[in-house]
Each structure stands twice: as C-alpha cells, then as structure tokens.
Amino acid sequence: MNSARYLLPAIFSLLLVACGGGTSVKPDAGKTQTPTMQQPVPKKGGYYLDDGPGDNPPADIDNIPDAVPRAETPLPRANRPYSALGRRYTPMTEHSPYKQRGVASWYGKRYHGQKTSSGEVYDMYSMTGAHTILPLPSYVRVTNPENGRSVIVRINDRGPFHDDRLIDLSYAAAYKLRLIEKGSGIVDVEALDTNGKTIPATNIAASPQASKPAAPGDQPLPPAESNAPANTMTNAMNETAINQPVAGDYVQVGAFSLKANGDRLVETLQQHNLTDNVQVENWYNAGTYRVRLGPYSSRQQAEAAAAKIKQVLSTNAIVIRQ
C-alpha cells in the first residue's frame, strides 16, 4: 500500500506530459510545416503593360543627380509637326514659357535600352522624360504637389500619346518624386532656360497638347518612304509618329543625295545665326534631302531671309510654298 501511494502521482505526471506538453513531443519529420506568414504580393502599379522596376536597381536612387540644364541645339526632325494615334501635335521650336499641371506616368525595364525620339538610348536610371510638344531636347522642373518633392529632367523623347497624361518620366525621376507605387500622379511641369531658371510664365493659358482628330474631309497624310526614316519618328515605347509638313512659305537652301551633307549645312546655318527663330530641317522627300527653313509668317519675311543667307554663305536660297 505504501509503494502504491508513491507510484500513483508519478504515473499521473507522465500522463500529463504525454497529453499536453508540446515541448516534450518531437514533430513528425514526414509532415510539411504550414508557414504562418504569406509572401507579400508585389504591387503592379500604373505602369505600362508588363513594365516595372529593374531587377538590379542602383543602391541609392535618391542620390542620382538631377539633369543639369545647358544650351543645346534643337533637333529639327524631332521637333517637326507630327501625327500619332489619330492626333496632330505641333512641338515648340524654341525655349518658351510653359507651365502645366497634369498626370505623370513612368516607364521602366520594358523600354530600357530602346531608342528615344531624339535618337538617344533610354536609360531608366537617368533623369529624363517624354513630352508631346516641348522642344527636344529641353529641360523642365517636375514637382509633386502632394509631397513637395521636385526634380529636373531632360526631355529627350515624345509621348505620352494619351489624353489623360501630360508627361512620361524615367523610373529614377518617378522614384524621386515618390510616384512609383501608384504608377502615376499629379505633377506640375515648368520649362527651364539654359541657366536652370523658370522661364517667366506671363499670360500663359493652358497649353493644348494636341489638336483635334482630323475631320473626315481632311486629306490623309502621305505614306512614309520605306527608306526615309526622316518621315517617321519612334519613341522608346516603339510608338511610331508621322512627321507632317505645315503649310507656309519656306526657304530652301540646298538639296543633297546624302543626309550627312544636309546635316552639315544645317549646322552652318545655325552657327551663323541664320535661322531667325524658325525651324531648320534636313527634310527627306522623293529621294532627296532638302535643307529648308520655315514656315515664315509672310512671303516678305521668307524673301528677306533668303537674301541674307545668299549674302552670308554665298549660296543659292529660294523661297518655296508648301
């Protein structure tokens, strides 16, 4: 009886450990343990299609320096009037006041390494942007009014060709403005001069980004020559725009079979300040590269410009009507 009195408590203790003591029982090695936390699902945001951040971004994107405004020659072909997705655009050909509020989107790895409308290669980690009408190249300050963050970017591409968007930003620029997670957001865009100062925005109305779609009676644009890249323009998103001539009086200075010869003449005209704040371009048509300036506001202005070019360069210059 005495021995039984000591054995009963011991047996009772062993039963408690076996039934309720989780630390004393090893888990079954053959069973898979269920994780207690789910992996977070990455947000897709509002970027294009299957676009997104790069796989190996720089360590500190916030330290990527802003673009530094400087004097650059506008690119004639990239600043010609053009048509894209059924709308017509007339780019600015000189640095003018511009201030607009609208939606900014961004493009990343899907378009990284593609050619922009300016001919440069898109780098998602550089401070660049795309705009429909600002000169290529030019510089703007982009501000996120929600958080006060501001960046300076170099406009080197055309787009976005969507009614609800004002500007496309590189991944780096959008990151610094904290637009990455949302994919897009409201921003203020201000044109800067070559010293990085805001061009005075006196009496500026809201700038239309494009004209209305062509009416059914409008003449269709001529088909682009298959071997004439100067008649088309492609942005980093592989969207093709068709360059479109504007009616008016032009001054034709030369005609060449080689594009390089026309490009050299364009540079000479610019170096001698003979462009008179009009567009000068090496325009391809019917197998020939024609260097021309215009359109001028009147035939008298065109004739005066032609006479000045003849005097300075001792070359033929004729007035033509487009």
Side-chain angles (χ1 to χ4, degrees):
M1 292 294 292
N2 290 335
S3 60
R5 186 173 55 187
Y6 293 109
L7 287 173
L8 286 175
I11 294 173
F12 184 69
S13 299
L14 289 173
L15 289 173
L16 286 176
V17 171
C19 294
T23 57
S24 303
V25 181
K26 294 182 179 179
D28 190 344
K31 293 183 179 180
T32 302
Q33 300 298 304
T34 302
T36 57
M37 296 182 63
Q38 289 184 335
Q39 292 296 322
V41 179
K43 292 183 180 180
K44 190 167 184 178
Y47 40 79
Y48 296 94
L49 301 175
D50 57 348
D51 195 13
D55 297 327
N56 298 297
D60 192 351
I61 297 177
D62 278 327
N63 279 336
I64 294 177
D66 283 358
V68 179
R70 59 188 177 90
E72 293 191 69
T73 302
L75 301 170
R77 185 171 70 87
N79 291 305
R80 290 181 61 187
Y82 65 95
S83 177
L85 302 184
R87 301 186 73 84
R88 295 174 179 174
Y89 300 86
T90 303
M92 301 158 61
T93 57
E94 58 184 8
H95 298 290
S96 304
Y98 179 91
K99 184 174 183 180
Q100 190 85 347
R101 172 171 287 192
V103 175
S105 49
W106 61 272
Y107 48 140
K109 65 179 181 181
R110 178 181 173 86
Y111 307 100
H112 186 67
Q114 299 293 324
K115 265 194 174 182
T116 64
S117 300
S118 64
E120 301 168 5
V121 174
Y122 172 61
D123 181 355
M124 62 186 291
Y125 300 120
S126 63
M127 299 297 290
T128 59
H131 197 277
T132 53
I133 63 170
L134 287 171
L136 296 188
S138 60
Y139 297 84
V140 296
R141 178 180 290 106
V142 184
T143 303
N144 183 348
E146 186 177 294
N147 55 27
R149 287 178 170 267
S150 181
V151 297
I152 296 176
V153 300
R154 182 172 180 268
I155 302 297
N156 69 345
D157 202 7
R158 285 292 174 223
F161 303 128
H162 305 272
D163 292 340
D164 60 341
R165 298 176 190 170
L166 176 65
I167 190 172
D168 270 339
L169 297 171
S170 65
Y171 176 83
Y175 180 95
K176 293 175 73 171
L177 291 173
R178 299 301 185 258
L179 296 176
I180 294 299
E181 288 298 323
K182 294 190 297 182
S184 62
I186 298 295
V187 297
D188 293 319
V189 178
E190 297 176 277
L192 302 178
D193 62 18
T194 56
N195 297 315
K197 304 293 184 182
T198 301
I199 301 174
T202 55
N203 301 323
I204 297 180
S207 301
Q209 294 304 299
S211 61
K212 295 180 179 180
D218 287 351
Q219 293 296 318
L221 294 173
E225 299 283 346
S226 59
N227 62 341
N231 280 352
T232 61
M233 177 174 61
T234 305
N235 64 11
M237 295 180 186
N238 292 320
E239 296 170 320
T240 300
I242 301 174
N243 292 132
Q244 183 179 351
V246 175
D249 292 302
Y250 291 77
V251 174
Q252 181 173 304
V253 187
F256 308 93
S257 59
L258 295 178
K259 182 177 182 296
N261 292 336
D263 288 341
R264 280 194 289 271
L265 180 54
V266 169
E267 292 177 2
T268 300
L269 289 165
Q270 292 169 337
Q271 290 170 357
H272 287 81
N273 298 318
L274 295 172
T275 58
D276 292 328
N277 294 323
V278 297
Q279 184 168 284
V280 56
E281 59 185 350
N282 188 12
W283 181 57
Y284 183 93
N285 185 39
T288 304
Y289 291 94
R290 293 174 169 84
V291 175
R292 66 180 191 177
L293 301 89
Y296 291 88
S297 58
S298 67
R299 186 171 184 86
Q300 290 75 15
Q301 286 189 359
E303 289 174 346
K308 184 178 179 181
I309 291 172
K310 289 179 184 178
Q311 180 181 9
V312 174
L313 299 184
S314 299
T315 187
N316 191 31
I318 60 174
V319 177
I320 58 174
R321 180 74 181 176
Q322 176 68 47

